[in-house]
Amino acid sequence: MHDCSIPTENDGTYLFDARGIAKRVRHAAIFGALEALIVGERLRFCNDHDPIPLLSQIRGYYGPRIRCDYVSRDPGQIVIDFVVC
């Protein structure tokens, strides 16, 4: 039985691959996922492009509560860790 409340990685990381989510609901999905995290957890976000407008929205809404760390900037596979502080 799968328990979605348990991180997918041992270090408290939840994986979120936005490439399979319809573009018109991606931002809502990421904000919903960020709201579900607690301090110390991270959301590893994969996307097909650099989501600069999304990052601006996240910084504006959460301020220093969410840290955004790039893991990869490879074309077609942008990976960002969103860490709850």
Side-chain angles (χ1 to χ4, degrees), residues 4-58:
C4 290
S5 69
I6 298 173
T8 54
E9 303 293 325
N10 289 334
D11 64 353
T13 300
Y14 291 90
L15 303 178
F16 186 101
D17 191 341
R19 296 171 293 186
I21 298 173
K23 289 184 180 185
R24 66 186 199 118
V25 298
R26 282 185 188 179
H27 285 208
I30 187 70
F31 273 88
L34 291 172
E35 285 293 321
L37 298 177
I38 60 172
V39 173
E41 292 183 326
R42 80 181 59 229
L43 187 71
R44 178 152 293 159
F45 175 81
C46 296
N47 203 15
D48 54 3
H49 66 278
D50 199 348
I52 293 170
L54 173 64
L55 295 178
S56 179
Q57 287 178 330
I58 289 171

Side-chain angles (χ1 to χ4, degrees), residues 19 45-51 70-80:
R19 296 171 293 186
F45 175 81
C46 296
N47 203 15
D48 54 3
H49 66 278
D50 199 348
Y70 279 90
V71 176
S72 170
R73 285 186 159 165
D74 294 336
Q77 186 169 336
I78 304 297
V79 180
I80 303 169

